[in-house]
Amino acid sequence: MASEPLPYARPRPGTQPPVLYPDYASTQKRAPKRAPLRLEHTLSETTGPVFEDGWAGPDSTDLTRQHKGAPLGERMILAGRILDEDGRPLAGTLVELWQCNSAGRYHHPVDQHDAPLDPNFTGAGQAVTNAAGEYRFLTIKPGAYPWRNSPNAWRPAHIHLAVFGPAFVTRLNTQMYFPGDPLLAYDPIFQSTADAQARERLIAQYDPALSEPEWALGYRWDMVLRGRAATPLDPA
Amino acid sequence: MAEKLIPTPSQTVGPFFSLGLDRPEWNDLTCGHPQGERIVIAGRVLDGDGAPVPDAVVEIWQANAAGRYAHPEDPQTDKPLDPNFRGFGRVATDAEGRFHFTTIKPGPVPGRGNSLQAPHINVLLLSRGLLIHLHTRIYFDGEPANAADPLLSSIEDPAVRGTLLARREGSSQSGSPAHYRFDIVMQGDNETAFLDL
């Protein structure tokens, strides 16, 4: 008999955001109303794209040296590991990153916020994790910016990250936030996850050991992807 | 067993994701000239008002023409891997909510137990307004294997089942790939059947 693919764990209640979260107004017309159909995982779910061979192109991990000059803002290192729920590092997985500049403006035609563009900052990078599941970017700290979700709403400073992991069901698209940001308390996107411990996962830690003297502040941020539902027994 | 870590919550990709996710060449999975029937799948992403969603990303993952995934955990060593086919694609919607990708028709792949899953493409949808991505599948209308597919045959309402079927459009000319239509309706009467994975 063929062995069954080992399924991935389902999220524990409250640890992921719901599709409908009315405080984030854009969910109201985009959240499905029918309950999704539960499907036990097959090979279609437990496999996924492989990026170890450089297919996604070269790493681009220094966002401060993509133009002639240096971007304005506070230089920072963002580094961490990508782990599964059992704490195992995920090597060879693609991490895609994007963010606004230090004034809170994206290098994107749709962003019309009245803050300056920085000709020396695009705000995009990518990396494939090493054998220890580690990634590392050098960038500048993004600014907060207003959005039209509700009157006088401001997004806390954040960096977008998208990660694949080993399977199609381990895909994670998320945002990293900064410790102590007073805007977090008012941000419906951050607050959409009910479980406070899960929300804490979204906040990087300042790490003096990661900071480089006279150069850049260090923030450490691990991302945890779904793991297997059951740990397989090691062969004797 | 050691206590498990809580996975990182999903957050929306927001409206500016093209900065980090834009890969214009990733909507053609046939660049390496893989084995199999070349097909084009085109459609629109629509919201609960039927309005086009111009800021969505469709990601697809599929088996090769023989029904094997290009992944180390696919145990089907009796089926060939196609060195020219990776099986992953991504396309962002345009201002009218449209997307299209070129690929090859996947072969059937094993399901759980001794079942066989009809040829299908796994879909992941990201957009502004989605705090967490949605999953669905594209099957092919008129495919004989659909009748025994575990997912399709578990859906009683034919209208709901129909939301998972890409429909052949037009008559194919020799040499040009078959065109299929597949819309993704995020909310409303014709809402796509999304999957809880």
Side-chain angles (χ1 to χ4, degrees):
Chain A
M1 197 188 112
S3 62
E4 294 282 1
L6 207 53
Y8 281 85
R10 307 271 169 170
R12 282 157 271 179
T15 59
Q16 292 288 335
V19 286
L20 178 64
Y21 192 74
D23 286 356
Y24 175 24
S26 299
T27 65
Q28 294 182 34
K29 292 292 182 189
R30 295 185 172 190
K33 296 208 161 155
R34 259 202 321 263
L37 306 169
R38 186 182 165 105
L39 185 66
E40 299 309 317
H41 294 172
T42 71
L43 269 185
S44 299
E45 287 73 40
T46 60
T47 59
V50 173
F51 294 99
E52 281 163 293
D53 55 4
W55 179 64
D59 283 6
S60 173
T61 60
D62 186 348
L63 282 71
T64 70
R65 288 197 185 90
Q66 294 175 336
H67 298 275
K68 278 185 180 163
L72 291 172
E74 204 174 287
R75 263 189 304 270
M76 60 167 274
I77 293 154
L78 175 63
R81 291 178 305 163
I82 300 183
L83 307 168
D84 71 11
E85 283 175 74
D86 296 304
R88 284 186 289 245
L90 298 171
T93 200
L94 179 66
V95 182
E96 295 169 293
L97 175 152
W98 69 101
Q99 64 169 87
C100 63
N101 68 23
S102 62
R105 176 102 181 252
Y106 285 90
H107 182 74
H108 189 290
V110 170
D111 190 357
Q112 295 299 315
H113 172 38
D114 182 16
L117 280 166
D118 184 337
N120 292 313
F121 193 72
T122 303
Q126 66 178 66
V128 171
T129 54
N130 68 14
E134 295 165 330
Y135 72 93
R136 181 189 174 102
F137 291 97
L138 179 64
T139 184
I140 51 94
K141 188 177 180 185
Y145 57 84
W147 62 315
R148 291 179 181 160
N149 184 63
S150 57
N152 204 11
W154 292 77
R155 291 295 334 273
H158 62 276
I159 296 177
H160 290 265
L161 289 108
V163 190
F164 282 86
F168 205 52
V169 295
T170 56
R171 187 93 168 94
L172 173 69
N173 285 274
T174 188
Q175 300 178 27
M176 180 231 94
Y177 301 94
F178 291 87
D181 190 330
L183 294 173
L184 289 171
Y186 305 95
D187 183 53
I189 293 177
F190 174 74
Q191 295 291 341
S192 63
T193 298
D195 186 287
Q197 272 185 292
R199 281 200 305 274
E200 285 298 311
R201 277 256 178 272
L202 297 171
I203 302 174
Q205 296 303 311
Y206 175 66
D207 181 355
L210 185 61
S211 294
E212 291 190 3
E214 316 296 324
W215 184 247
L217 295 168
Y219 289 92
R220 194 165 287 284
W221 193 53
D222 292 341
M223 284 173 270
V224 181
L225 309 190
R226 290 169 76 176
R228 300 286 186 171
T231 306
L233 293 172
D234 290 324
Chain B
M1 193 168 66
E3 196 181 336
K4 295 207 174 218
L5 302 172
I6 299 175
T8 306
S10 174
Q11 299 272 271
T12 183
V13 292
F16 309 122
F17 57 77
S18 66
L19 253 182
L21 296 180
D22 192 28
R23 309 269 189 166
E25 69 280 18
W26 282 11
N27 77 334
D28 185 353
L29 288 74
T30 67
C31 290
H33 305 289
Q35 300 283 318
E37 181 198 351
R38 244 175 120 226
I39 59 173
V40 174
I41 298 181
R44 289 206 298 167
V45 180
L46 302 167
D47 73 8
D49 290 330
V53 175
D55 41 20
V57 180
V58 179
E59 290 187 341
I60 63 168
W61 170 242
Q62 66 168 91
N64 67 21
R68 181 166 170 187
Y69 285 101
H71 187 275
E73 281 191 36
D74 189 327
Q76 304 176 89
T77 47
D78 54 323
K79 292 179 180 176
L81 271 176
D82 185 340
N84 300 314
F85 191 71
R86 308 188 62 99
F88 178 72
R90 173 191 290 166
V91 60
T93 55
D94 69 12
E96 279 79 49
R98 294 176 302 208
F99 68 89
H100 75 273
F101 50 85
T102 305
T103 185
I104 51 104
K105 192 172 170 187
V109 299
R112 296 191 74 79
N114 289 314
S115 64
L116 190 66
Q117 304 186 86
H120 65 274
I121 295 173
N122 306 290
V123 175
L124 193 152
L125 181 71
L126 303 157
S127 81
R128 178 178 69 81
L130 279 183
L131 287 160
I132 186 161
H133 55 250
L134 301 175
H135 281 289
T136 187
R137 283 184 176 187
I138 301 172
Y139 286 89
F140 297 89
D141 191 26
E143 172 70 38
N146 285 348
D149 180 83
L151 172 62
L152 286 180
S153 55
S154 74
I155 304 173
E156 286 178 18
D157 184 340
V160 175
R161 200 184 315 130
T163 68
L164 298 178
L165 299 176
R167 290 182 168 76
R168 188 89 179 244
E169 281 196 324
S171 58
S172 71
Q173 296 153 346
S174 64
S176 69
H179 277 68
Y180 287 87
R181 171 96 192 174
F182 186 82
D183 290 333
I184 301 175
V185 181
M186 299 176 76
Q187 186 189 83
D189 290 341
N190 304 313
E191 189 175 299
T192 297
F194 294 105
L195 303 176
D196 172 9
L197 301 180

